[in-house]
């Protein structure tokens, strides 16, 4: 038995500890620094307190004032330029920086804000050109979640929601592989060998990159789970992770070209017997290599041109496959239906999809939108959905009637006011309000007047204000004194819908409310209505402590003055 020399044992231990310290320090920094940076940015940089799909007009104004779109285009252009230059000049450091830059929006999920450009969410600006098409493009790499879904399915067989376990499993195993890769690489540097073949290099030709990919995959899963309700809709940021990983794979290919040039047959022989990143079954390897064989007639790219072409095609293929799970709704969705020709087969498929048993969290209004877009021929089927025995089905159908403006559904909505489930009744009230159903006014007012125990008073007042019921004005004035800021704002919005002129004095009064939420919402309302006499009142809050109040008050004053100028020019007689 060969005896281990103390000096060598001491050297190996020291090198391993060095690898551990370096790797753990790097991984810890990638978690801790983003959270600290996010806290700093949210403290010192103001951004709107809402996401684009909620307040698209206000967000557009913010984007225009600060040229956010141009910043996004420039950033994305510079990143891809850096990657292209790196490939053209064999500068792997350029490509590495570009790959990490593409990964940065994954860190944006650490942002504790409703607005996805708040705090560290500013990193989302990198992908802003794509999000101009749809907010969902950030998840256009969703195909990469298949391993996660398979693991979740497996653990669910044992009634274990193993999300946190899976996240930490990936992050810990990725860190371990990275540590072993760094250790083996350092050991090679203390020998005369040009090619690392031992330890973990027996199983992966690029263990450090493999460790990073696995760890970053766990990080991608980790982000939205921190505080999903306040995180950019719970996006995983799969597209940034996918593109970054594709770029890193490209670096691996480039390094192999370099190693083959420097070490010749020694490296080529090593490459034949060692997996590229990790061992995979032969059938899976053939499936992965199939597009490459069609594209370049080889099992691996052998020059920079082939590498670039291969990576581009694979990235596009994976993004295309992700379309099965990503609904690319337009960036500005105003609940308008695009008219489609009626197809009986499609109607049947949509009805089947809507009525099949499924958890409520997986339901959406999208299939209803597709159904109603085919016109009046679908109304008989929609009528049946409004009376469906499954409360989830009829509840979503009732919501769809209001969201997609189906006045033919008003009789069914009136019947739904007698439903035994409070949630169904409330949905019917909201949809009747959205449809401005005058025939529902007496019934809704009676429910409010009698103190309905099924629907909250503010919901009934909101619906009645949409209908235009002036009789509720005294009740709205009473609600302005409510202790909860949301009810004060709800009352102000309802007053505006009924009579803007009567509501204005209250708006100007509550523009100086002690609660910043109230001041913020009042400024939003004035920004929407732009009354000519609002400028002096808005001028009082242009130095407000709340960023939203300051910013949007200044923009409202600017827009009101522009409107006055346009009106003045139109009223002047032509010379």
């Amino acid at each position: 038995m060969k005896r281990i020399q103390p000096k060598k044992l001491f050297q190996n231990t020291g090198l391993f500890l060095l690898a551990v310290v370096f790797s753990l320090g790097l991984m810890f920094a990638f978690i801790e620094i983003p959270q600290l940076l996010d806290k700093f940015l949210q403290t010192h940089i103001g951004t709107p307190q809402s996401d684009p799909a909620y307040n698209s007009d206000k967000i557009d104004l913010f984007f225009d004032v600060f040229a956010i779109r141009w910043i996004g285009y420039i950033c994305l252009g510079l990143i891809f330029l850096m990657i292209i230059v790196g490939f053209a000049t064999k500068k792997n450091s350029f490509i590495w920086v570009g790959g990490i830059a593409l990964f940065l929006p994954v860190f944006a999920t650490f942002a504790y804000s409703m607005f996805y450009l708040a705090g560290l969410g500013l990193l989302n600006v990198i992908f802003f050109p794509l999000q101009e098409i749809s907010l969902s493009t950030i998840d256009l790499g969703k195909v990469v979640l298949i391993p996660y879904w398979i693991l979740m399915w497996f653990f669910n067989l044992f009634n274990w929601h193993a999300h946190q376990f899976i996240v930490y499993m990936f992050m810990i195993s990725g860190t371990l592989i990275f540590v072993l890769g760094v250790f083996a690489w350092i050991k090679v540097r203390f020998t005369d060998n040009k090619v690392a073949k031992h330890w973990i290099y027996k199983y992966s030709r690029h263990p450090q990159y493999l460790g990073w990919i696995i760890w970053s995959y766990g990080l991608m899963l980790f982000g939205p789970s921190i505080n999903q309700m306040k995180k950019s809709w719970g996006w995983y940021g799969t597209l940034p992770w996918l593109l970054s990983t594709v770029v890193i794979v490209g670096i691996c290919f480039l390094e192999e070209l370099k190693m083959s040039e420097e070490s010749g047959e020694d490296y080529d022989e090593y490459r034949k017997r060692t997996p590229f990143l990790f061992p995979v079954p032969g059938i899976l390897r053939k499936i992965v290599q199939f597009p490459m064989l069609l594209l370049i007639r080889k099992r691996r790219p052998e020059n920079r041109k082939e590498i670039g072409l291969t990576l581009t095609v694979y990235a596009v293929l994976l993004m295309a496959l992700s379309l099965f799970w990503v609904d690319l709704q337009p960036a500005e969705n105003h609940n308008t239906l695009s008219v489609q020709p009626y197809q009986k087969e499609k109607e049947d498929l949509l009805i089947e999809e809507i009525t099949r048993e499924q958890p409520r969290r997986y339901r959406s209004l999208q299939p209803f939108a597709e159904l109603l877009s085919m016109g009046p021929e679908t109304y008989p089927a929609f009528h049946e959905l409004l009376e469906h025995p499954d409360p989830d089905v009829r509840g979503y159908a009732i919501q769809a009637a209001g969201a997609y403006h189906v006045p033919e559904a008003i009789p069914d909505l009136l019947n739904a006011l007698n439903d035994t489930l409070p949630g169904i009744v409330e949905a019917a009230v909201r949809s009747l309000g959205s449809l401005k159903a005058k025939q529902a006014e007496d019934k809704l007012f009676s429910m409010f007047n009698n103190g309905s125990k099924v629907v909250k008073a503010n919901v009934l007042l909101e619906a009645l204000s949409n209908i235009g019921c002036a009789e509720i004005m005294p009740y709205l004035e009473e609600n302005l004194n409510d202790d909860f800021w949301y009810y004060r704002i709800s009352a102000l919005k309802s007053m505006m819908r009924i009579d803007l002129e009567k509501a204005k004095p209250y708006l100007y009064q509550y523009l100086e409310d002690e609660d910043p939420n109230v001041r913020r919402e009042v400024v939003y309302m004035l920004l929407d209505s732009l009354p000519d006499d609002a400028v002096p009142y808005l001028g009082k809050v242009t130095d407000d402590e709340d960023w939203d109040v300051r910013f949007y008050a200044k923009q409202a004053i600017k827009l009101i003055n522009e409107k006055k100028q346009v009106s003045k020019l139109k009223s002047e007689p032509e010379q």
Side-chain angles (χ1 to χ4, degrees):
M1 182 175 177
K2 189 176 180 181
R3 187 178 178 183
I4 301 176
Q5 297 178 359
K7 181 178 179 181
K8 190 172 183 180
L9 178 62
F10 180 77
Q11 183 186 65
N12 286 341
T13 303
L15 291 177
F16 183 74
L17 289 175
L18 178 63
V20 170
V21 171
F22 171 76
S23 303
L24 292 181
L26 182 64
M27 299 302 181
F28 178 77
F30 270 107
I31 294 178
E32 190 63 24
I33 291 177
Q35 297 191 65
L36 295 174
L37 183 59
D38 174 59
K39 189 179 295 184
F40 174 83
L41 291 174
Q42 292 212 45
T43 304
H44 294 86
I45 297 180
T47 48
Q49 293 300 304
S50 182
D51 264 324
Y54 289 118
N55 288 311
S56 59
D57 293 337
K58 301 173 188 64
I59 301 305
D60 281 341
L61 185 59
F62 167 72
F63 290 158
D64 291 339
V65 171
F66 290 104
I68 301 295
R69 290 181 175 82
W70 280 108
I71 293 172
Y73 285 113
I74 291 169
C75 288
L76 191 62
L78 288 175
I79 289 170
F80 280 114
L81 179 63
M82 185 179 298
I83 293 171
I84 293 169
V85 169
F87 272 100
T89 61
K90 299 183 180 180
K91 298 287 186 182
N92 286 4
S93 57
F94 279 33
I95 306 172
W96 172 252
V97 171
I100 293 298
L102 287 174
F103 182 72
L104 288 178
V106 173
F107 291 106
T109 58
F110 286 93
Y112 287 82
S113 174
M114 285 299 290
F115 182 41
Y116 76 155
L117 286 187
L120 204 65
L122 287 170
L123 296 173
N124 277 317
V125 77
I126 295 170
F127 279 84
F128 211 83
L130 291 176
Q131 290 181 318
E132 289 278 77
I133 302 169
S134 169
L135 295 172
S136 301
T137 53
I138 198 75
D139 254 348
L140 204 51
K142 215 162 189 175
V143 67
V144 304
L145 292 179
I146 289 178
Y148 166 73
W149 291 334
I150 292 173
L151 288 170
M152 286 293 291
W153 167 81
F154 173 77
F155 287 118
N156 279 334
L157 294 178
F158 305 95
N159 295 318
W160 181 18
H161 183 75
H163 172 76
Q164 291 294 339
F165 171 78
I166 293 171
V167 167
Y168 289 115
M169 179 186 72
F170 277 112
M171 295 181 73
I172 292 171
S173 58
T175 302
L176 179 61
I177 293 170
F178 190 89
V179 168
L180 294 175
V182 171
F183 171 61
W185 180 82
I186 292 175
K187 275 184 64 66
V188 170
R189 293 298 170 267
F190 279 82
T191 66
D192 295 331
N193 296 327
K194 292 183 178 180
V195 181
K197 304 177 184 178
H198 305 291
W199 291 72
I200 196 170
Y201 276 92
K202 291 181 180 179
Y203 311 102
S204 172
R205 303 202 296 268
H206 305 281
Q208 292 100 320
Y209 291 123
L210 175 62
W212 165 266
I213 290 170
I214 294 175
W215 177 86
S216 62
Y217 187 81
L219 183 72
M220 176 190 66
L221 298 174
F222 174 67
S225 65
I226 300 174
N227 190 7
Q228 188 165 345
M229 290 303 292
K230 290 187 177 181
K231 287 185 175 314
S232 306
W233 310 53
W235 283 322
Y236 281 109
T238 54
L239 181 59
W241 185 86
L242 170 63
L243 295 180
S244 175
T245 300
V246 167
V247 171
I248 290 172
V249 170
I251 296 174
C252 295
F253 280 129
L254 287 175
E255 288 191 355
E256 296 210 335
L257 293 181
K258 183 179 178 182
M259 289 297 296
S260 185
E261 291 173 1
E262 293 178 354
S263 303
E265 293 183 5
D266 188 24
Y267 187 78
D268 291 339
E269 194 64 34
Y270 164 70
R271 184 162 55 176
K272 289 178 182 178
R273 65 174 185 268
T274 308
F276 179 64
L277 281 174
F278 54 89
V280 294
I283 184 66
L284 182 59
R285 185 168 63 251
K286 289 179 180 179
I287 293 172
V288 171
Q289 290 178 340
F290 182 71
M292 196 184 308
L293 288 170
L294 288 179
L295 187 66
I296 61 175
R297 307 293 181 183
K298 302 172 185 175
R299 295 189 180 277
R300 60 173 175 264
E302 295 179 355
N303 56 58
R304 284 176 291 163
K305 182 179 179 181
E306 290 179 352
I307 292 172
L309 180 61
T310 300
L311 296 179
T312 301
V313 170
Y314 271 79
V316 171
L317 280 175
L318 291 169
M319 290 168 65
L321 287 172
S322 298
L323 288 171
F324 285 104
W325 298 282
V326 178
D327 184 14
L328 292 179
Q329 288 289 333
E332 293 185 13
N333 181 11
H334 298 294
N335 287 339
T336 55
L337 297 173
S338 56
V339 179
Q340 302 291 332
Y342 175 74
Q343 300 175 39
K344 176 60 177 171
E345 297 80 3
K346 185 176 181 181
E347 179 189 57
D348 292 340
L349 287 172
L350 288 169
I351 295 296
E352 183 179 346
E353 178 185 351
I354 290 169
T355 56
R356 70 182 175 87
E357 188 175 343
Q358 57 184 304
R360 182 180 298 178
R361 65 179 179 275
Y362 295 142
R363 293 189 181 275
S364 75
L365 293 180
Q366 185 57 34
F368 291 95
E370 294 183 42
L371 179 70
L372 293 169
S373 68
M374 292 189 288
E377 291 91 338
T378 64
Y379 288 172
F382 184 62
H383 168 75
E384 293 181 9
L385 293 174
L386 288 165
E387 297 182 341
H388 198 275
D390 186 334
D392 287 343
V393 173
R394 69 176 183 273
Y396 271 87
I398 288 169
Q399 291 180 52
Y404 303 115
H405 198 76
V406 187
E408 290 81 0
I410 290 176
D412 295 296
L413 298 178
L414 288 169
N415 290 333
L417 294 178
N418 300 315
D419 200 283
T420 56
L421 296 176
I424 300 294
V425 179
E426 181 172 321
V429 169
R430 292 185 184 277
S431 287
L432 286 167
S434 298
L435 291 168
K436 304 184 188 303
K438 199 70 178 175
Q439 54 268 57
E441 181 177 341
D442 291 341
K443 174 66 174 176
L444 296 182
F445 189 76
S446 174
M447 290 173 67
F448 170 76
N449 227 7
N450 294 326
S452 172
K453 296 180 180 179
V454 178
V455 183
K456 293 179 181 178
N458 70 297
V459 174
L460 288 164
L461 288 173
E462 181 181 337
L464 286 164
S465 69
N466 280 322
I467 292 171
C469 177
E471 293 179 55
I472 64 171
M473 286 295 278
Y475 302 101
L476 294 174
E477 291 175 1
E478 290 180 13
N479 279 8
L480 291 176
N481 298 316
D482 197 284
D483 292 334
F484 186 31
W485 71 268
Y486 178 81
Y487 291 130
R488 302 204 293 277
I489 287 300
S490 179
L492 284 170
K493 288 181 178 179
S494 294
M495 292 176 76
M496 279 187 66
R497 295 188 196 100
I498 297 170
D499 192 328
L500 176 59
E501 289 302 315
K502 288 185 178 180
K504 282 197 298 185
Y506 297 104
L507 289 172
Y508 300 151
Q509 174 186 341
Y510 283 89
L511 192 58
E512 299 183 52
D513 192 275
E514 61 181 16
D515 193 320
N517 292 299
V518 174
R519 301 197 302 274
R520 190 183 302 138
E521 292 295 330
V522 171
V523 169
Y524 290 164
M525 286 185 266
L526 292 173
L527 184 65
D528 286 336
S529 55
L530 297 177
D532 291 346
D533 57 350
V535 173
Y537 303 97
L538 288 165
K540 296 178 181 179
V541 294
T542 53
D543 58 350
D544 194 276
E545 62 181 23
D546 184 84
W547 184 90
D548 274 71
V549 176
R550 294 196 308 271
F551 175 76
Y552 287 110
K554 291 175 183 177
Q555 303 312 312
I557 290 171
K558 180 180 176 182
L559 292 172
I560 290 171
N561 288 333
E562 288 177 357
K563 188 178 78 169
K564 288 180 179 178
Q565 189 65 28
V566 170
S567 299
K568 182 179 178 182
L569 290 173
K570 287 182 177 179
S571 63
E572 290 178 356
E574 294 183 5
Q575 298 294 328

